[in-house]
Amino acid sequence: MKTKIFKIAFPALALILAITASLAFTSAENSMADDIVVTQGWYQNPNEISCTLVSPINCDCTSSYNPICTYTVGFSVHQVYQKQNSISPCNVILYKGFE
């Protein structure tokens, strides 16, 4: 009976410990999604729920010290945003990418 418990419980506990340890030591600032240059953006037309797609752009999410990413439509200059997914509003601020 003891060997059955040890054969099942110890591997399960070791797996749980390994997963917990790997999550405990990951850096919150180590997100690869933030480092990717964005090539599509949206401008709010007329609000963050109703957005218009613009492409191509050279923007990213992490360079907050850079100027805000904009797109010109006719004589109007619009700030460009990113959407988290297809049903979310376009409200993630994008910044100019490095030239």
Side-chain angles (χ1 to χ4, degrees), residues 22-86:
S22 69
L23 294 175
F25 295 110
T26 57
S27 171
E29 296 179 15
N30 193 14
S31 174
M32 288 180 58
D34 290 341
D35 297 336
I36 297 172
V37 174
V38 179
T39 58
Q40 284 186 329
W42 287 262
Y43 67 90
Q44 298 176 351
N45 186 20
N47 56 37
E48 67 183 29
I49 303 301
S50 176
C51 304
T52 302
L53 177 67
V54 293
S55 181
I57 58 172
N58 181 19
C59 302
D60 60 50
C61 301
T62 58
S63 302
S64 59
Y65 52 87
N66 285 348
I68 291 176
C69 199
T70 58
Y71 188 78
T72 304
V73 179
F75 294 109
S76 302
V77 177
H78 299 279
Q79 183 175 347
V80 179
Y81 297 91
Q82 182 182 19
K83 294 174 105 174
Q84 296 294 340
N85 55 47
S86 62

